[in-house]
Amino acid sequence: MLGYFGPAGTFTHQALRTITDDEAVAFSSVREALDAVRRGQVRGAVVPIENSVEGGVSATLDELIAGEPLAIRAEIVIPVEFGLYAREGTRLEDVRQVLTHGHAAAQCRQWLAERVPLAQVTEAGSTAGAAAEVARPESRYDAAVCARVAGETYGLTELAYAIEDNPGAVTRFVEVGKAGPVADRTGADKTTLVAYMREDHSGALLEILEQFAVRGVNLTRIESRPTKTTLGSYCFSIDVEGHLHDKRVGEALEGLHRVCPRVHFLGSYARADQSRPKIADGFTDDSYDAAAAWVESLGSPYLG
Ligand SMILES: O=C(O)C(=O)C[C@]1(C(=O)O)C=C[C@@H](O)C=C1
């Protein structure tokens, strides 16, 4: 059975529904969902990892590397559209207390400031959790910013829809399991890893980046996250195009292993958009094989 960041009606729940109709377990935080994977209560969990407006989901980026290693098995990308939902009888002009997930608040900030200027926005654990709270008749919150499905699930009335400041936003979710064999290469893959710098010195980030640059590996996301040890100590959470079994990616990982004290490999998996990377001349597996054969031939007694 799979777990997900719930309760029912979160965007994560919608993402999960795109891959299975089977029964699934809701957890009220990303940490609880991932811990359930670690202790084997569920065989995997779906959690949010990146939003096109707000960037990386820190809770997920941090929890993936805290504790027993986990691996990303698949990615799911869905559009995120928000509405404002309240108990029956509440009018838009009456809304003073809004409850929602921090990422959702950030994506609707301008709309909320313009349309409910007197409202105070409070962060909830999730958008659907906010809807469930607003549905309680005695709740101190007047409205929730959430998906339409959450508004419906908790019996709320829609006061407004498509209130996001950036139409067309998408959120990327990942299905995470226990670390195990890497998923098969599809030719349209992504690899996620976390690299730690040796020590704080000029060019440390460049050393990491050049491992990819010189091998023609394109990065699709890079974010610094605190290592949680001392102030100013950071690691880098990175997504790259390609699979561990692509020679250019495997070699880049070898390079990282040489220059970084610690590298977490978090999995190679099929891209949701199935788009294949443009591999420049000289970086295909054939080019690597030809180069290796040539180097080997240099030591051959039969050469020239
Ligand atoms: O609260 C939810 O509904 C979630 O699935 C979480 C989450 C997020 O973490 O970004 C997912 C998509 C939206 O961008 C807002 C919230």
Side-chain angles (χ1 to χ4, degrees):
M1 196 161 8
L2 289 177
Y4 68 96
F5 170 41
T10 55
F11 288 97
T12 313
H13 190 207
Q14 294 180 50
L16 169 97
R17 282 292 162 245
T18 67
I19 55 168
T20 176
D21 286 330
D22 294 349
E23 203 191 321
V25 198
F27 293 93
S28 54
S29 68
V30 169
R31 168 181 278 185
E32 283 170 49
L34 297 184
D35 279 350
V37 177
R38 288 194 169 100
R39 44 166 208 274
Q41 183 189 341
V42 287
R43 67 173 171 85
V46 176
V47 291
I49 193 164
E50 183 184 4
N51 172 262
S52 61
V53 176
E54 272 300 288
V57 179
S58 329
T60 302
L61 297 176
D62 294 351
E63 287 301 326
L64 277 175
I65 52 167
E68 195 191 313
L70 294 171
I72 298 173
R73 295 196 292 233
E75 76 168 5
I76 307 149
V77 176
I78 62 164
V80 283
E81 284 191 345
F82 301 95
L84 189 67
Y85 295 86
R87 288 179 298 280
E88 210 183 332
T90 309
R91 295 172 312 165
L92 187 60
E93 53 273 32
D94 298 333
V95 172
R96 294 288 180 279
Q97 296 290 338
V98 172
L99 189 63
T100 191
H101 187 276
H103 262 211
Q107 290 177 73
C108 305
R109 190 174 290 132
Q110 203 179 324
W111 188 94
L112 291 168
E114 282 168 11
R115 302 297 299 279
V116 278
L118 301 178
Q120 189 185 335
V121 181
T122 305
E123 276 193 27
S126 68
T127 54
E133 165 59 29
V134 168
R136 292 191 318 116
E138 65 278 15
S139 175
R140 59 182 290 261
Y141 299 101
D142 305 315
V145 173
C146 59
R148 180 170 273 158
V149 60
E152 286 168 3
T153 301
Y154 299 98
L156 298 174
T157 302
E158 189 173 283
L159 298 182
Y161 192 66
I163 65 170
E164 58 277 358
D165 301 329
N166 296 275
V170 295
T171 297
R172 180 176 159 236
F173 300 83
V174 284
E175 184 198 326
V176 177
K178 280 196 181 186
V182 180
D184 289 341
R185 178 156 71 145
T186 68
D189 308 287
K190 239 182 224 177
T191 293
T192 299
L193 51 101
V194 178
Y196 290 72
M197 291 191 298
R198 193 175 287 142
E199 73 255 340
D200 193 15
H201 64 276
S202 66
L205 175 58
L206 188 60
E207 259 171 32
I208 292 177
L209 292 180
E210 70 185 359
Q211 303 308 320
F212 300 108
V214 298
R215 294 172 179 100
V217 177
N218 185 36
L219 272 59
T220 56
R221 181 183 61 85
I222 177 162
E223 271 168 285
S224 59
R225 293 295 310 149
T227 60
K228 305 189 189 346
T229 49
T230 52
L231 187 66
S233 168
Y234 286 88
C235 57
F236 295 93
S237 174
I238 301 171
D239 291 336
V240 303
E241 282 181 344
H243 191 282
L244 173 67
H245 296 147
D246 291 329
K247 298 228 153 121
R248 61 187 206 294
V249 175
E251 279 216 0
L253 283 169
E254 283 179 20
L256 280 185
H257 193 264
R258 281 189 278 103
V259 302
C260 300
R262 193 143 61 106
V263 182
H264 288 284
F265 169 72
L266 287 174
S268 291
Y269 47 91
R271 287 179 70 127
D273 61 6
Q274 295 177 3
S275 95
R276 291 174 172 264
K278 288 187 190 61
I279 307 172
D281 284 349
F283 296 111
T284 61
D285 278 5
D286 286 349
S287 304
Y288 274 94
D289 289 342
W294 174 70
V295 169
E296 201 174 338
S297 76
L298 297 178
S300 157
Y302 305 109
L303 190 77

